[in-house]
């Protein structure tokens, strides 16, 4: 038993130590064997620690891989949930937009039917009164000197009044949207062409120039709450520059009601409002032209081209269709106006008659010297 213990515990170690002792044959074999055994123990302990560290490191690596896999699975799950939520919100927004468009179209249909019914009733009443007047005139005795009392004939319906009522309905629809109208349009980072062209045409009508709205970011800045006040108080019957109406119709040219409806419900209401504005502007210009023709004066150009949704123009148009040449003339006119404003700002006169703008004092002095005028000292 003792021999087996020594053999199992020290056999391999002593055999290796004695082999080294025979190989190197040191002068003090006992000391060499003792130091060798100490070094053997030290190496064995270091090897054991290295094995333990390696096992610990492998365990940490396995734990890191497990946590990384769990984190990736969690992130993938969050990404899927986000995509599903965005898809669900998009579908809900499309359904809501479709519902609002359908409700608006239904209300528009009912309003139109009510207006048509009212108009038909008006025309029927007018026809009845005309028939009564003709019947009374037919039954009148030719020998009677006094004419029979005839019922008053209601006046014909004024087209301008009809378009004004239509514009009021369109404006009311926009006012009902209130802030949701602005938020729905402004949320577009990159708008669809239909939304961009519709809003650009809207700002053209409200008096903005091309350089004010040549980028979507500029249009977003202009969409403040006061925009609704400008829309509500806008009067297209007043005389105004023809260029802005030409720009507006050029923006709307090629758009269809279906495309604008699919893009945005708010943009669709703006498009409908613009159509009513153009119709009222055209009717007002026709009325002024009729009055001018009776006095022999020159007529006015409405500057409006037909766009989808407008009623047919029953009266002759002015020279409004100019194409690319007209657009170039409009841009040149804008440039001329800006140059005039810049010149006016350069010649602002301050105290003593000396220019306060960026024009050098030397130029001012030279101009007075050329005209033999005394130049005041600054």
């Amino acid at each position: 038993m003792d021999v087996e213990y020594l053999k199992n515990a020290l056999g391999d170690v002593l055999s290796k130590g004695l082999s080294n002792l025979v190989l190197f044959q040191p002068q003090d074999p006992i000391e060499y064997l003792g130091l060798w055994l100490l070094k053997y123990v030290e190496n064995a302990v270091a090897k054991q620690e290295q094995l333990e560290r390696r096992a610990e490191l492998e365990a940490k690596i396995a734990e890191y891989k497990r946590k990384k896999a769990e984190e990736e699975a969690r992130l993938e799950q969050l990404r899927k949930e986000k995509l599903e939520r965005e898809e669900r919100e998009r579908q809900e927004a499309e359904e809501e937009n479709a519902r609002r468009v359908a409700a608006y179209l239904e209300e528009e249909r009912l309003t139109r039917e009510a207006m048509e019914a009212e108009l038909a009733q008006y025309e029927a009443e007018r026809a009845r009164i005309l028939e009564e007047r003709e019947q009374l005139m037919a039954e009148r005795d030719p020998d009677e000197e006094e004419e029979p009392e005839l019922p008053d004939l209601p006046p014909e319906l004024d087209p301008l009044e009809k378009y004004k009522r239509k514009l009021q309905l369109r404006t009311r629809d926009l006012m009902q949207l209130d802030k949701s109208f602005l938020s729905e349009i402004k949320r577009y980072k990159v708008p669809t062409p239909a939304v961009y062209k519709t809003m650009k045409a809207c700002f053209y009508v409200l008096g903005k120039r091309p350089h004010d709205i040549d980028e979507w970011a500029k249009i977003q800045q202009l969409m403040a709450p006061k925009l609704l006040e400008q829309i509500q108080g806008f009067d297209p019957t007043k005389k105004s520059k023809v260029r802005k109406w030409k720009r507006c119709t050029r923006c709307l040219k090629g758009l269809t009601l279906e495309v604008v409806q699919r893009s945005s419900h708010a943009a669709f209401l703006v498009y409908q409002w613009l159509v009513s504005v153009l119709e009222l502007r055209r009717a007002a210009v026709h009325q002024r032209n009729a009055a001018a023709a009776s006095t022999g004066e020159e007529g006015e150009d409405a500057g409006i081209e037909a766009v989808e949704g407008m009623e047919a123009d029953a009266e002759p148009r002015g020279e409004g269709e100019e194409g690319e040449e007209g657009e170039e003339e409009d841009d040149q006119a804008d440039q001329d106006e800006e140059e005039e404003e810049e010149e006016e700002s350069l010649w602002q006169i301050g105290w003593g008659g000396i220019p306060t703008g960026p024009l050098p004092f030397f130029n001012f002095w030279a101009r007075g010297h050329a005209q033999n005028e005394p130049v005041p000292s600054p």
Side-chain angles (χ1 to χ4, degrees), residues 98-135:
R99 185 189 64 79
R100 292 167 66 180
V101 169
Y104 175 79
L105 292 178
E106 179 65 18
E107 183 181 356
E108 179 73 11
R109 184 184 63 82
L110 295 176
T111 304
R112 185 172 59 253
E113 290 179 354
M115 292 179 65
E116 290 176 354
E118 181 180 355
L119 181 60
Q121 183 179 0
Y122 182 88
E123 294 295 338
E125 180 67 17
R126 180 180 174 83
R128 186 186 64 80
I129 295 176
L130 281 174
E131 185 178 354
E132 289 181 0
R133 288 168 65 96
E134 292 177 357
Q135 184 177 359

Side-chain angles (χ1 to χ4, degrees), residues 128-142 144 146-152:
R128 186 186 64 80
I129 295 176
L130 281 174
E131 185 178 354
E132 289 181 0
R133 288 168 65 96
E134 292 177 357
Q135 184 177 359
L136 288 173
M137 293 298 294
E139 295 176 354
R140 175 192 172 191
D141 189 355
E144 292 182 2
E146 296 182 359
E147 295 185 357
E149 184 177 354
L150 301 177
D152 294 333

Side-chain angles (χ1 to χ4, degrees), residues 298-325:
E298 185 178 355
E300 180 183 352
D301 180 14
I304 295 175
E305 303 176 22
V307 299
E308 183 169 337
M310 289 182 63
E311 296 183 2
D313 190 0
E315 300 186 34
R317 286 177 41 81
E319 298 177 358
E321 300 181 1
E322 300 182 3
E324 296 181 356
E325 296 181 359

Side-chain angles (χ1 to χ4, degrees), residues 191-260:
T192 62
V195 173
Y196 179 68
K197 289 183 178 180
T198 301
M199 296 310 302
K200 197 172 182 180
C202 177
F203 282 109
Y204 273 146
V205 166
L206 295 177
K208 299 300 179 182
R209 294 184 177 178
H211 64 81
D212 296 328
I213 52 177
D214 54 358
E215 296 178 1
W216 178 245
K218 295 181 180 179
I219 293 178
Q220 287 178 312
Q221 293 177 357
L222 291 173
M223 294 188 63
K226 64 179 182 181
L227 173 62
L228 295 174
E229 299 177 4
Q230 294 175 354
I231 290 176
Q232 190 173 14
F234 183 71
D235 184 9
T237 61
K238 295 181 179 179
K239 288 188 177 182
S240 57
K241 293 182 179 179
V242 180
R243 285 200 303 275
K244 72 176 185 179
W245 300 103
K246 294 180 180 178
R247 291 173 184 147
C248 173
T249 52
R250 276 200 295 267
C251 282
L252 300 180
K253 203 77 172 177
L255 293 180
T256 63
L257 291 172
E258 183 180 0
V259 171
V260 181

Side-chain angles (χ1 to χ4, degrees), residues 4 37 43 87 103 146 179 217 283 289 304 318 331-332 357 371:
E4 288 293 330
L37 290 174
N43 290 342
E87 180 66 19
E146 296 182 359
K179 294 182 180 179
N289 288 345
I304 295 175
D331 296 338
Q332 183 62 37
Q371 299 174 357

Side-chain angles (χ1 to χ4, degrees), residues 129-172:
I129 295 176
L130 281 174
E131 185 178 354
E132 289 181 0
R133 288 168 65 96
E134 292 177 357
Q135 184 177 359
L136 288 173
M137 293 298 294
E139 295 176 354
R140 175 192 172 191
D141 189 355
D143 298 334
E144 292 182 2
E145 295 182 358
E146 296 182 359
E147 295 185 357
E149 184 177 354
L150 301 177
D152 294 333
L153 185 65
E156 295 184 359
L157 189 62
D158 185 9
L160 197 63
E161 185 65 26
K162 181 183 71 171
Y163 289 126
K164 283 183 179 180
R165 293 180 184 179
K166 188 175 180 181
L167 180 60
Q168 289 175 358
L169 293 176
R170 305 295 189 197
T171 307
R172 184 201 62 187

